């Protein structure tokens, strides 16, 4: 029998590996189709291949039988590689862990016609099931993360005292929104070091087309095995968790990760276990007075709440979810999304660090780049492709739900109850970006006014038919109603100029 191990299925604790069975071959394929379904960041491809190679080597060391095809040896698709291996080993049964991605599942299912049987087992990674998710939300016009999250807290017992939440409240979100005080220094972070020279060489030899940059190949700083992932996490737990709660939404120039954990890549490739991570945070809360409930709950909510929730939403609505475009947005992404060369300081910082580090934290993704693309009416498919390629942690199940759903409101409010958009006020409140910007954050309609200001009001005017009755944004429309027709017109004029000249901003 062959057991296929995909690049995001590197779970060392999976029950597959409990016993060594000489009749089982574990198959890993670095392949062009997977490396090019989106314009991936070079660090993402390097990180995945490097982690796959180390995981395969560990299995071999434990006595398992392993087949590994590198990107310079393999055939283009997973199916072609599996077919060739199945023929050469004369096996008729291929077992796979449930893929996280709809496209890959369909591809694997289609192989059933090619002379062998594909069967699926659980990836033994997630804490919730799609069936329970669908049962909870079938027939609901919009999902409610909070009700899902409470169920998950009860089911996992995390931060619970009997049936009640620890700290007396389920959710401390309102205490997660401080901006960074002036002169506050975010301490240096811990980075593991992996020599990825050979992996990089192979990727270049195979001609994989990538975006972004990579530093010294001797010191690759994303985790590529479970030990490194745990080391990053433990360092963060000891040094950064106490600040995570307060500054979860804060942004600052030259601080590319703030107090965020940077474990999403390790989680999404399954190098570390999400429940274990949450249990460590809960322990820290109980044992260390400096870890407040808003830090512990704020972090745990992201994992047993948002992360599991997005997975449920993905499988409930795919493939249709990938076509949704509620506002019928159709503009192209500005060219500077691929270079970071724009005069808007917030966009320059966020896109710049995304190209350099394959990372931006949540509020940068939601309230800087996502905010801009929604206000500018960019086609959600263009936006998806950018997010799917650029981030080290980007896998469709968690990317598309966050991008098309939460950020672009392309599902008409199924995931998010209102669009996440803002003018420059919010950006200025939560960051120091505006102080160094060529645009004026205080004005709306002048030549140097921050583009966010006119785009924000213009967005609500353009979409009043679809948003005007939303009770969560009544205040916006009340303010708009008080504006004179002349000032609305001036805003629309400035917005229209911006929309027609996006590449020049
Ligand atoms: P931390 O802030 O330290 O949070 C801890 C963990 O919580 C993360 O590692 C992640 O696993 C989980 N988490 C936090 N927020 C979310 C969320 N909204 N949805 C799901 N899990 C969450 N996350 C991805 O893993 N892959 C993506 O492709 C992705 N694309 C996104 C696109 C957009 C437009 C937005 C707004 C968010 C996206 N996110 C994505 C969610 C979030 O931004 C990242 O999980 C987070 O920035 C990863 O950094 P971290 O590990 O330092 O997170
Ligand atoms: C993202 C990715 C990349 C870049 N390359 C590979 C690969 O060559 N081989 C592989 O098995 N997996 C790769 N992956 C991860 C897959 O795309 C991932 O398994 C699917 O997105 C399913 O979630």
């Amino acid at each position: 029998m062959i057991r296929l191990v995909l690049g995001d299925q590197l779970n060392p604790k999976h029950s597959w590996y409990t016993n060594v069975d000489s009749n089982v071959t574990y198959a890993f394929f670095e392949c062009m189709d997977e490396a090019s379904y989106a314009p991936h960041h070079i660090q993402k491809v390097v990180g995945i291949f490097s982690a796959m190679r180390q995981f395969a080597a560990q299995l071999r060391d434990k006595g398992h039988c392993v087949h590994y095809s590198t990107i310079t040896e393999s055939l283009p698709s997973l199916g072609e590689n599996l077919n060739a291996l199945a023929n050469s080993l004369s096996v008729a049964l291929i077992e796979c862990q449930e893929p996280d991605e709809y496209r890959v599942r369909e591809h694997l299912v289609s192989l059933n016609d090619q002379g062998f049987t594909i069967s699926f087992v659980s990836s033994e990674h997630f804490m919730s099931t799609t069936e329970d998710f669908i049962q909870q939300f079938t027939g609901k016009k919009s999902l409610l993360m909070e009700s899902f999250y409470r169920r998950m807290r009860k089911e996992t017992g995390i931060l619970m005292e009997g049936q009640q939440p620890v700290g007396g409240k389920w959710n401390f979100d309102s205490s997660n929104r401080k901006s960074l005080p002036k002169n506050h220094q975010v301490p240096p972070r811990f980075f593991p070091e992996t020599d990825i020279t050979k992996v990089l060489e192979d990727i270049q030899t195979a001609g994989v087309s990538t975006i972004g940059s990579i530093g010294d190949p001797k010191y690759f700083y994303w985790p590529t095995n479970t030990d490194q992932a745990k080391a990053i996490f433990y360092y963060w737990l000891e040094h950064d968790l106490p600040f995570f709660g307060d500054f979860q939404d804060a942004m600052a120039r030259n601080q590319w990760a703030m107090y965020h954990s940077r474990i999403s890549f390790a989680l999404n490739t399954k190098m570390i276990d999400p429940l274990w991570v949450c249990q460590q945070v809960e322990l820290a809360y109980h044992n260390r007075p400096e870890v407040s409930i808003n830090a512990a709950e704020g972090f745990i909510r992201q994992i047993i709440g948002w992360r599991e929730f997005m997975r449920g939403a993905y499988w409930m609505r795919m493939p249709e979810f990938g076509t949704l475009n509620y506002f019928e947005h159709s503009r192209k992404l500005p060219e500077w999304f691929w270079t970071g060369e724009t005069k808007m300081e917030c966009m320059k910082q966020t896109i710049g660090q995304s190209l350099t580090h394959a990372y931006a934290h949540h509020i940068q993704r939601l309230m800087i780049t996502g905010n801009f693309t929604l206000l500018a009416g960019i086609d959600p498919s263009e936006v998806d492709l950018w997010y799917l390629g650029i981030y080290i942690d980007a896998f469709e199940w968690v990317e598309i739900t966050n991008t098309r759903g939460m950020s672009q409101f392309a599902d008409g409010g199924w995931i998010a109850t209102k669009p996440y958009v803002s003018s420059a006020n919010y950006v200025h409140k939560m960051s120091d970006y505006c102080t160094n910007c060529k645009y004026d954050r205080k004005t709306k309609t002048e030549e140097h006014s921050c583009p966010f200001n006119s785009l924000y009001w213009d967005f609500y005017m353009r979409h009043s038919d679809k948003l005007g009755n939303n009770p969560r944004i009544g205040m916006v429309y009340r303010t708009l109603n008080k504006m004179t027709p002349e000032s609305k017109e001036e805003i629309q004029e400035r917005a229209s100029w911006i929309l027609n000249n996006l590449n020049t901003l």
Side-chain angles (χ1 to χ4, degrees), residues 12 72 76 83 114 132 148-149 186 207 210 215 276 280 293 299-300 313 330 386 412 468:
T72 52
N83 211 336
Q114 299 187 9
D132 286 350
F148 172 82
Y149 172 52
V186 179
T210 57
W276 175 83
Q280 300 309 304
I293 185 69
F299 187 80
I300 285 168
S330 59
W386 186 80

Side-chain angles (χ1 to χ4, degrees), residues 342-358:
T342 163
K343 297 186 282 297
M344 295 174 76
E345 189 63 20
C346 56
M347 300 296 284
K348 184 175 162 181
Q349 289 283 330
T350 303
I351 296 171
Q353 72 164 68
S354 303
L355 290 164
T356 322
H357 296 296

Side-chain angles (χ1 to χ4, degrees), residues 260-264 268 302 359 362 365 393-394 399 402:
H260 293 270
S261 64
R262 296 172 302 139
I263 59 164
S264 47
N268 294 351
Q302 306 311 317
Y359 179 91
H362 186 68
R365 298 185 202 196
D393 55 32
E399 175 282 320
N402 270 293

Side-chain angles (χ1 to χ4, degrees), residues 50-94:
S50 188
M52 285 170 75
R53 290 182 189 194
Q54 291 180 58
F55 191 76
Q58 282 162 8
L59 290 187
R60 258 194 205 114
D61 288 348
K62 287 187 180 143
H64 295 287
C65 182
V66 171
H67 170 91
Y68 198 102
S69 296
T70 66
I71 190 72
T72 52
E73 303 157 345
S74 64
L75 296 165
S77 72
L78 285 171
E80 286 164 296
N81 284 295
L82 266 177
N83 211 336
L85 185 63
N87 283 334
S88 75
L89 298 179
S90 302
V91 301
L93 183 61
I94 299 180

Side-chain angles (χ1 to χ4, degrees), residues 334-342 348 351-352 355 386:
E335 283 154 16
W336 40 263
F337 264 73
W338 305 101
T339 63
E341 284 163 22
T342 163
K348 184 175 162 181
I351 296 171
L355 290 164
W386 186 80

Side-chain angles (χ1 to χ4, degrees), residues 12-72:
K13 291 207 171 137
H14 196 280
S15 55
W16 268 0
Y17 313 120
T18 314
N19 299 311
V20 173
D21 181 344
S22 57
N23 290 317
V24 175
T25 299
Y26 291 97
F28 296 74
F29 304 108
E30 296 174 5
C31 58
M32 196 52 107
D33 282 6
E34 292 307 310
S36 55
Y37 63 80
H40 295 296
H41 198 292
I42 179 66
Q43 292 180 34
K44 182 179 174 190
V45 185
V46 162
I48 288 171
F49 288 2
S50 188
M52 285 170 75
R53 290 182 189 194
Q54 291 180 58
F55 191 76
Q58 282 162 8
L59 290 187
R60 258 194 205 114
D61 288 348
K62 287 187 180 143
H64 295 287
C65 182
V66 171
H67 170 91
Y68 198 102
S69 296
T70 66
I71 190 72
T72 52

Side-chain angles (χ1 to χ4, degrees), residues 149-369:
Y149 172 52
R150 290 184 190 187
R151 173 163 75 78
M152 291 303 293
R153 287 273 293 276
K154 287 180 196 155
E155 280 179 18
T156 57
I158 299 262
L159 286 181
M160 293 296 292
E161 280 164 341
Q163 284 301 296
Q164 294 309 311
V166 168
K169 271 200 312 184
W170 291 99
N171 188 318
F172 289 80
D173 191 26
S174 57
S175 313
N176 295 144
R177 297 178 193 153
K178 282 197 182 137
S179 57
L180 218 54
K182 269 209 173 84
N183 303 324
H184 177 102
Q185 291 293 323
V186 179
R189 309 297 300 263
F190 165 76
F191 294 105
E193 288 171 6
T194 309
D195 186 340
I196 48 88
T197 310
K198 175 74 173 86
V199 181
L200 187 59
E201 241 174 59
D202 287 351
I203 291 169
Q204 284 161 349
T205 306
V208 179
S209 166
T210 57
I211 58 168
S213 58
I214 192 158
D216 186 338
K218 289 205 163 42
Y219 304 104
F220 185 65
Y221 50 77
W222 289 104
T224 52
N225 58 50
T226 296
D227 286 348
Q228 287 181 344
K230 284 190 170 170
I232 287 198
F233 173 70
Y234 278 133
Y235 188 94
W236 171 85
L237 191 68
E238 189 180 340
H239 299 274
D240 302 319
L241 171 61
F243 300 95
F244 177 86
D246 284 356
F247 301 126
Q248 202 172 326
D249 288 1
M251 298 172 280
R253 281 164 59 81
N254 307 318
Q255 289 296 340
W256 63 271
M258 299 288 298
Y259 289 106
H260 293 270
S261 64
R262 296 172 302 139
I263 59 164
S264 47
F265 175 64
L267 279 172
N268 294 351
T269 48
K270 307 185 181 57
M271 289 190 276
I272 48 171
D273 182 64
L275 181 60
W276 175 83
V277 162
C278 293
Q279 286 163 341
Q280 300 309 304
V281 171
E282 182 178 23
L283 265 182
Y285 167 70
H286 287 305
N287 296 334
R288 291 165 46 197
E290 76 276 20
V291 177
S292 62
I293 185 69
N294 76 321
E297 187 280 323
F299 187 80
I300 285 168
R301 187 185 340 120
Q302 306 311 317
I303 296 185
I304 68 174
W306 283 110
R307 186 169 185 269
E308 296 282 328
F309 177 78
M310 291 309 201
R311 177 165 172 271
Y314 178 80
W315 283 104
M316 186 166 172
R317 290 284 291 274
M318 279 303 277
E320 168 228 2
F321 195 82
T323 63
L324 300 177
N325 186 357
Y326 183 61
F327 294 124
E328 297 174 33
H329 282 163
S330 59
R331 280 197 188 82
K332 285 191 81 62
L333 206 60
E335 283 154 16
W336 40 263
F337 264 73
W338 305 101
T339 63
E341 284 163 22
T342 163
K343 297 186 282 297
M344 295 174 76
E345 189 63 20
C346 56
M347 300 296 284
K348 184 175 162 181
Q349 289 283 330
T350 303
I351 296 171
Q353 72 164 68
S354 303
L355 290 164
T356 322
H357 296 296
Y359 179 91
H361 61 76
H362 186 68
I363 287 299
Q364 292 177 305
R365 298 185 202 196
L366 186 67
M367 296 309 294
I368 303 294
T369 39

